[in-house]
Amino acid sequence: MNRFPRVMGMRSGYDPAEVDALIGRIESTLGRGSHAMEPVTADDVRRATFRARRGGYQETAVDFALEAFVVALETQAKRPVRLALAEPTGDMLREEWFETQAARVERVAFRAGRMGTGYNEDEVDAFLDRIVATLRGTTDYPVTAEEVRAAKFSTVMLRAGYLIADVDAFLAGIADVLGQRV
């Protein structure tokens, strides 16, 4: 597949296979391609380098496209992962709505942190368990929306951790839900 124009003659350009592999990961991260690929961050794209190959992709065309992808990845990272915030009406009772929100918290899956860093998974999971108990009304020590907004977790290096931006965005939505629990 030719995603970009190729250089002419004996000149060298970016290796098409390497560029196509990175573009595939970017599209997967943005939800446009196969979701089986490892996600990529804007910083990963900025640091990307490609080998030179005769007849490869024109460097300028690839560089412009990658800059556009960086903007798209940064925009996606800033977009909060929101839960449904509509108050229950009609057939759905208030407690059923909070049970639905608790089930969503139980099902959340965060992407792995990049470059060996991220939030400590055990701390985040324990905090989410407290949130679920609060939403279900099964704890003597409920979590408040303010506590969720102020939550801090240890970061880990060189071992599994949750992507910080994903956790922060998700908790922003949860704080709004807990604000309605009062």
Side-chain angles (χ1 to χ4, degrees):
M1 161 194 301
N2 284 327
R3 292 180 186 258
F4 300 99
R6 302 248 185 178
V7 295
M8 301 298 243
M10 299 299 287
R11 294 182 40 216
S12 294
Y14 288 149
D15 183 326
E18 291 178 1
V19 173
D20 290 343
L22 179 62
I23 299 292
R25 287 180 58 206
I26 293 169
E27 289 175 342
S28 175
T29 302
L30 294 172
R32 298 180 192 152
S34 167
H35 296 293
M37 295 184 177
E38 181 182 352
V40 66
T41 66
D43 288 335
D44 294 335
V45 175
R46 284 188 190 97
R47 287 190 295 268
T49 59
F50 308 102
R51 285 182 284 212
R53 182 172 167 197
R54 264 198 204 123
Y57 288 149
Q58 288 181 0
E59 296 171 359
T60 304
V62 173
D63 290 343
F64 279 131
L66 292 180
E67 282 302 315
F69 280 128
V70 164
V71 171
L73 289 166
E74 287 176 338
T75 301
Q76 180 185 30
K78 292 177 184 172
R79 184 176 27 211
V81 178
R82 306 291 284 194
L83 295 175
L85 297 177
E87 274 291 329
T89 57
D91 299 329
M92 185 181 268
L93 299 173
R94 184 172 172 82
E95 291 307 312
E96 290 174 5
W97 184 79
F98 284 114
E99 176 57 34
T100 301
Q101 302 308 315
R104 287 183 180 188
V105 173
E106 289 177 323
R107 288 190 312 264
V108 69
F110 300 113
R111 293 179 288 175
R114 300 288 173 259
M115 306 302 287
T117 62
Y119 279 146
N120 181 303
E121 292 180 1
D122 294 334
E123 290 178 19
V124 173
D125 290 342
F127 193 67
L128 292 177
D129 289 343
R130 288 186 58 213
I131 291 170
V132 168
T134 300
L135 289 169
R136 290 188 171 139
T138 60
T139 180
D140 293 332
Y141 305 101
V143 179
T144 65
E146 292 76 32
E147 287 178 274
V148 172
R149 288 185 185 98
K152 301 285 185 220
F153 305 101
S154 302
T155 54
V156 295
M157 296 186 76
L158 304 176
R159 67 182 180 112
Y162 292 138
L163 186 64
I164 292 170
D166 282 2
V167 174
D168 289 345
F170 183 77
L171 290 179
I174 292 296
D176 293 340
V177 170
L178 286 172
Q180 296 180 42
R181 182 75 181 150
V182 178

